[in-house]
């Protein structure tokens, strides 16, 4: 039997083979959480002209005053004339600097009597209070790199750059298939020999922020014809995710069902704990991820394989979760011949392993907000040491 792949090699093999979905151009208002398919450049300069950064009065730079107020420049309603010596214009934040003006006197530093304006002794006019043309960006500047996931701030930057549409990748369509004779569809009606079918809902919830549409099928019994029917029902999906049936027992039929369906197995089994029996296959342009049935194993393998796959299909430049250095809050034992992802919680600036690490322990998983990454053959780690951990929030890419 082929030995399990190291985690990094398995992730690399998967992601190098994935081609992002074809780009499309859509209105910026519809592009939130999509990934840019190309760099977004500015079509205009921001600001397009010198603007006041404060409320006050605009006058020529170096003009000592006193001044005569000859008009007003408001945001969206500029002053139409030109300032001469001894003249000033009332100006508001964001308003266009008048021709001939080179300094702004803050409102709180001004004393005004009718049209006569003088200093009150608290400050003087300064060009520091001017937002110069192009200080934010200029036409042609790159605002967003290709592969950027679009946040509300990104949308605002693109709109300010004069863009109405963006080239983005579609989000993939996903089908989640629960399989196993032991699964009960109704958690309120579960016999002693059954367990509630929780994995499907969990995996669908994990995929939803990274997918255009997520559909669930199952629970599907451990029968070859039932699995084949489920795969055929999911034939329109970009990604099929199975939970359970990916191991080597007599009732683990996902692999033979996929092969009968015409899928090609890319790899099977990864040297990680939890989650060794993970399967990756392809059928044409369609990807199939076979996850273990134990719920914690299913969650962890989805975190390091399914979510990066969905992000790569959607065009992410950096689809893998990013480990962060954190201080360990409790001792950890040495590891063996598999990379370990230890469920943990954040506490007072440290990351603390949860007490129960069994791959079926959902209560412990629900209490976790991080995965401590422990390399193969790592020595024991002591409290206070630095370790690398993935934050579970936002799929580890926050």
């Amino acid at each position: 039997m082929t030995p399990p792949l190291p985690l990094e090699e398995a992730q690399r093999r998967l992601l190098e083979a994935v081609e992002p979905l074809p780009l499309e151009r859509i209105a910026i208002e519809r592009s939130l959480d999509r990934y840019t398919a190309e760099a977004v450049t500015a079509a205009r300069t921001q600001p397009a002209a010198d603007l006041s950064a404060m409320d006050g009065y605009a006058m020529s730079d170096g003009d000592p005053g006193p001044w005569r107020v000859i008009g007003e420049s408001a945001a969206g309603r500029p002053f139409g004339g030109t300032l001469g010596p001894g003249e000033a214009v009332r100006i508001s934040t964001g308003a266009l600097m008048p021709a001939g003006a080179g300094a702004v006197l803050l409102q709180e530093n001004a004393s005004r009597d009718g049209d006569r304006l003088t200093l009150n002794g608290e400050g003087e006019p300064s060009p520091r209070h001017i937002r110069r043309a192009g200080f934010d960006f200029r036409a042609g500047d790159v605002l967003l790199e290709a592969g950027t996931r679009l946040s509300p701030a990104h949308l605002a930057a693109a709109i300010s750059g004069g863009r109405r549409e963006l080239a983005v990748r579609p989000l993939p369509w996903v089908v989640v298939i629960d399989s196993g004779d032991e699964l009960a569809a109704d958690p309120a009606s579960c016999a002693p020999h059954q367990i509630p079918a929780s994995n499907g809902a969990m995996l669908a919830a994990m995929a939803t922020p990274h997918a255009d549409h997520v559909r669930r099928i199952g629970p599907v019994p451990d029968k070859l014809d039932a699995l084949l029917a489920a795969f055929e029902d999911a034939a329109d999906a970009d990604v099929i995710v199975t939970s359970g049936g990916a191991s080597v027992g007599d009732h683990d039929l996902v692999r033979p069902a996929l092969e009968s369906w015409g899928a090609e197995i890319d790899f099977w089994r990864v040297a990680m704990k939890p989650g060794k029996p993970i399967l990756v296959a392809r059928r044409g342009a369609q990807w199939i991820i076979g996850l273990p049935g134990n719920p914690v194993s299913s969650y962890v393998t989805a975190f390091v394989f399914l979510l990066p796959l969905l992000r790569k299909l959607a065009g992410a430049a950096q689809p893998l979760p990013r480990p962060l250095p954190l201080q360990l809050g409790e001792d950890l034992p040495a590891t063996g011949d598999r990379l370990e992802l230890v469920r943990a919680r954040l506490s007072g600036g440290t990351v603390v392993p949860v007490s129960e690490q069994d791959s079926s322990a959902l209560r412990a998983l629900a209490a976790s907000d991080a995965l401590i990454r422990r390399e193969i053959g790592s020595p024991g780690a002591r409290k206070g040491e630095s370790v690398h951990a993935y934050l579970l929030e936002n799929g580890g890419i926050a």
Side-chain angles (χ1 to χ4, degrees):
M1 184 178 293
T2 304
L5 289 175
L7 175 61
E8 292 87 347
E9 182 179 345
Q11 289 175 317
R12 177 188 58 76
R13 279 180 55 166
L14 171 62
L15 296 179
E16 284 184 353
V18 174
E19 290 293 332
L21 297 173
L23 68 82
E24 59 183 4
R25 295 188 182 276
I26 62 174
I28 284 182
E29 288 81 359
R30 295 173 47 221
S31 65
L32 182 66
D33 291 335
R34 299 285 195 97
Y35 290 90
T36 53
E38 58 192 23
V40 178
T41 58
R44 60 179 296 277
T45 295
Q46 175 70 13
D50 291 352
L51 306 176
S52 177
M54 306 291 287
D55 289 338
Y57 295 87
M59 61 276 295
S60 299
D61 188 21
D63 189 341
W67 305 270
R68 181 170 65 90
V69 179
I70 62 170
E72 180 180 7
S73 182
R77 298 195 309 274
F79 177 74
T82 301
L83 289 181
E87 294 178 335
V89 163
R90 182 80 171 93
I91 197 164
S92 57
T93 301
L96 188 70
M97 291 291 292
V104 172
L105 175 67
L106 301 185
Q107 180 173 320
E108 55 266 32
N109 297 335
S111 178
R112 181 174 176 179
D113 182 8
D115 291 339
R116 179 178 169 80
L117 181 70
T118 58
L119 302 176
N120 66 9
E122 298 297 325
E124 297 183 347
S126 173
R128 296 193 310 272
H129 306 309
I130 299 174
R131 293 175 181 153
R132 297 295 182 183
F135 96 90
D136 195 354
F137 53 80
R138 294 189 174 276
D141 286 352
V142 174
L143 301 177
L144 303 171
E145 298 289 347
T148 300
R149 190 179 192 189
L150 290 159
S151 70
H154 292 142
L155 304 191
I159 292 171
S160 293
R163 298 297 181 185
R164 290 182 297 188
E165 295 182 337
L166 293 178
V168 298
R169 305 285 180 181
L171 297 179
W173 283 52
V174 179
V175 171
V176 178
I177 300 174
D178 252 340
S179 67
D181 290 337
E182 76 280 14
L183 300 180
D186 183 359
S189 178
C190 190
H193 65 281
Q194 294 180 308
I195 57 173
S198 61
N199 282 5
M202 176 182 70
L203 295 170
M206 293 179 74
T208 293
H210 310 279
D212 182 70
H213 177 74
V214 179
R215 182 164 63 93
R216 290 180 58 193
I217 297 175
V220 177
D222 289 321
K223 295 180 180 178
L224 192 63
D225 59 347
L227 280 169
L228 285 169
F231 288 139
E232 193 59 36
D233 190 19
D236 60 344
D238 297 302
V239 177
I240 298 175
V241 189
T242 67
S243 175
S247 194
V248 292
D250 293 339
H251 302 286
D252 293 313
L253 300 176
V254 166
R255 184 172 179 175
L258 284 172
E259 291 171 335
S260 296
W261 193 48
E264 180 180 348
I265 308 301
D266 186 3
F267 61 84
W268 173 64
R269 301 196 310 153
V270 175
M272 61 182 290
K273 180 182 178 180
K276 181 179 178 181
I278 179 174
L279 177 150
V280 172
R282 294 184 71 173
R283 185 175 184 264
Q286 191 174 52
W287 287 94
I288 303 98
I289 303 289
L291 305 180
N294 274 324
V296 175
S297 300
S298 193
Y299 181 97
V300 171
T301 48
F303 184 85
V304 295
F305 284 102
L306 172 61
L307 299 190
L309 168 62
L310 297 180
R311 290 190 285 256
K312 181 67 181 289
L313 285 169
Q318 301 293 334
L320 289 172
R322 296 186 289 268
L324 301 175
L326 294 171
Q327 188 179 68
L328 186 60
E330 289 182 6
D331 294 352
L332 277 174
T335 63
D337 59 357
R338 286 191 284 168
L339 180 144
E340 296 186 16
L341 293 172
V342 180
R343 277 77 70 207
R345 56 183 175 81
L346 301 176
S347 176
T350 67
V351 60
V352 181
V354 297
S355 58
E356 182 54 74
Q357 293 291 322
D358 187 89
S359 60
S360 67
L362 275 172
R363 183 179 180 182
L365 177 64
S368 302
D369 43 28
L371 296 173
I372 302 172
R373 180 180 173 126
R374 301 276 288 146
E375 304 297 333
I376 294 172
S378 294
R382 307 290 292 179
K383 177 181 178 180
E385 289 185 23
S386 179
V387 293
H388 281 92
Y390 300 107
L391 303 185
L392 298 182
E393 187 177 9
N394 295 324
I397 59 171

